[in-house]
Amino acid sequence: MKTRDLILKFLKRNIDNWVSGEYISKELNVSRAAISKHISSLKKMGYIIESLPRKGYSLKESDLLLPDEIYDGLQTKTLGKKVVFFDETDSTNIKARDLAEEGAEEGTIVIAESQTMGRGRKGRSWYTGKGSGIFLSLILRPPLAPTEVAITTLMTAIAMVEAVKSVTKVEPKIKWPNDLLLGGKKICGILTEVSTEMDSVNYIIVGIGININTEAVSFPKEIKNIATSLHIETGEKFKRKLITQSFLKSFEKLYNILKNRNFNHIMKEWKKHSDMIGKRVEIEIFERKIKGVVEDIEDDGVLRVCSDDGSIERIISGDIHFV
Ligand code: BT5
């Protein structure tokens, strides 16, 4: 372990308490000047460390999504074992795609505290409240056919519902295909992008953004009536690190089921977390609008809608509004 990491470990063991520089120096056998240098670099990384002349150093509780924070306590075999972190980037999906093109391993994740070009579907933008949510992208290389990719979005939604439920006890509902809602408002969105050959998938980038500790006033006015956060809905603040780790754990479990092609299991889980079946909806698919009632979700993730003119529509992707 590097000296900086040892110092951090030491401070973490004494979180919120004072540890003298002399004590650290003796225990780790490093000079006081070296400690001071490492403390500065930890502060630059975002750790909040107070220092006082006769008391030493005191690390305050923080909620950083730095790679070492994610690795610490992560219960997965491969997913998230390599984290690429940006304090600010254009879009984690763009960065993940670049890494995938360069051959990054499956399970690599890209996390950012803020994005200057956070993206939704069809070129829409995604508001990234700096430090207040989780904004990450996963690189996957599944043995799926291009026609089977849609289910990864649904699976990602289940994994995030499970993670939120296990950490916060509230349970968002899934709105097909890529939203999680709390109190009817959007808390999370998923953007799945794929690189394919004729009959195989090179890689999938699954991007997910979730508003955790976002304050109502910080949402831009265009979305303040439709967006919400875990904090707004519960009045509490949550550790983003715990939700990230829990999400990766659930994701890995479901992804193994997906790789075994047990789509039926995934869809059963999905239906447990969605209350869309039987609802009246309006769906926009490019220029077309369909009104009708959701009949079912098929095993490949396709939405089956009985439209008002009596025809059955099988919808692969679109924007849904409840009516
Ligand atoms: C999505 O698109 O919901 C996909 C969002 C994916 C974001 C993640 S963040 C990490 C990764 N890197 C990226 O660049 N993207 C992914 P869509 O269904 O098209 O919804 C977009 C719409 O959601 C916008 O037009 C707004 O109306 C709304 N919106 C934008 N930011 C939001 C936010 N923070 N919370 C709730 N709604 C939001």
Side-chain angles (χ1 to χ4, degrees):
M1 210 184 244
K2 286 191 267 177
T3 310
R4 187 192 68 198
D5 299 336
L6 286 170
I7 294 173
L8 181 62
K9 209 172 154 191
F10 216 80
L11 293 175
K12 275 188 178 171
R13 253 192 265 142
N14 297 284
I15 193 119
D16 278 331
N17 287 318
W18 291 97
V19 187
S20 76
E22 192 185 347
Y23 187 60
I24 302 176
S25 160
K26 268 196 197 133
E27 288 290 311
L28 301 180
N29 200 19
V30 278
S31 71
R32 300 285 293 274
I35 294 171
S36 162
K37 195 186 86 199
H38 289 302
I39 295 280
S40 295
S41 97
L42 287 168
K43 281 184 180 169
K44 274 200 195 106
M45 288 162 75
Y47 290 101
I48 302 164
I49 303 169
E50 287 182 4
S51 33
L52 277 178
R54 268 178 299 280
K55 286 190 154 178
Y57 303 101
S58 172
L59 175 69
K60 302 292 157 206
E61 272 291 334
S62 59
D63 183 26
L64 302 173
L65 297 179
L66 296 169
D68 285 341
E69 294 291 326
I70 304 291
Y71 304 146
D72 184 15
L74 182 64
Q75 292 171 32
T76 60
K77 284 212 172 70
T78 53
L79 211 71
K81 291 290 168 170
K82 170 125 178 57
V83 175
V84 178
F85 174 85
F86 294 93
D87 194 41
E88 180 174 292
T89 188
D90 42 8
S91 149
T92 55
N93 265 40
I94 296 176
K95 286 290 175 283
R97 186 197 57 203
D98 293 348
L99 288 169
E101 288 290 336
E102 288 161 17
E105 281 174 69
E106 163 154 285
T108 303
I109 66 174
V110 179
I111 300 188
E113 286 290 8
S114 86
Q115 304 179 106
T116 51
M117 281 170 53
R119 303 190 292 183
R121 295 174 301 155
K122 300 183 198 157
R124 290 185 284 231
S125 69
W126 178 259
Y127 165 71
T128 306
K130 187 173 171 67
S132 69
I134 302 167
F135 312 105
L136 67 80
S137 302
L138 294 140
I139 298 173
L140 306 173
R141 298 184 184 277
L144 294 178
T147 49
E148 295 168 329
V149 168
I151 199 162
T152 8
T153 305
L154 308 187
M155 194 203 88
T156 307
I158 307 169
M160 191 49 98
V161 171
E162 288 183 350
V164 168
K165 192 178 167 194
S166 79
V167 177
T168 71
K169 310 290 176 252
V170 294
E171 197 174 340
K173 285 283 174 204
I174 307 178
K175 180 172 161 237
W176 186 92
N178 67 327
D179 292 350
L180 298 194
L181 307 182
L182 254 190
K185 291 184 172 181
K186 184 159 169 172
I187 194 168
C188 171
I190 300 162
L191 176 66
T192 305
E193 295 179 298
V194 59
S195 156
T196 59
E197 300 297 328
M198 277 296 278
D199 53 4
S200 64
V201 169
N202 295 329
Y203 59 82
I204 300 178
I205 306 298
V206 180
I208 185 156
I210 176 162
N211 310 317
I212 310 270
N213 297 320
T214 327
E215 303 283 351
V217 289
S218 45
F219 283 120
K221 63 174 184 326
E222 310 82 81
I223 60 165
K224 76 173 189 324
N225 294 326
I226 56 158
T228 191
S229 73
L230 282 170
H231 173 61
I232 296 167
E233 297 300 315
T234 64
E236 290 176 48
K237 296 255 176 163
F238 297 100
K239 284 254 183 263
R240 299 175 305 153
K241 164 184 162 164
L242 295 182
I243 297 176
T244 306
Q245 290 176 328
S246 178
F247 166 70
L248 293 172
K249 185 178 169 198
S250 285
F251 193 101
E252 186 168 87
K253 174 194 72 184
L254 292 161
Y255 188 51
N256 286 333
I257 295 170
L258 180 77
K259 284 200 279 192
N260 288 328
R261 315 188 67 72
N262 193 348
F263 298 163
N264 182 263
H265 177 97
I266 307 259
M267 289 321 301
K268 268 196 196 142
E269 286 302 308
W270 193 90
K271 285 177 196 173
K272 281 189 207 160
H273 296 297
S274 177
D275 52 7
M276 291 190 66
I277 293 171
K279 287 257 164 78
R280 264 196 78 69
V281 290
E282 184 175 81
I283 307 169
E284 279 176 57
I285 312 162
F286 297 101
E287 302 296 287
R288 221 177 133 215
K289 276 192 183 166
I290 300 168
K291 269 193 183 172
V293 173
V294 177
E295 263 205 354
D296 203 359
I297 314 279
E298 299 181 359
D299 275 2
D300 50 4
V302 168
L303 191 76
R304 204 168 67 228
V305 173
C306 179
S307 86
D308 287 354
D309 66 12
S311 62
I312 298 294
E313 301 272 354
R314 294 183 77 254
I315 296 154
I316 298 167
S317 158
D319 285 309
I320 293 222
H321 311 282
F322 293 114
V323 284

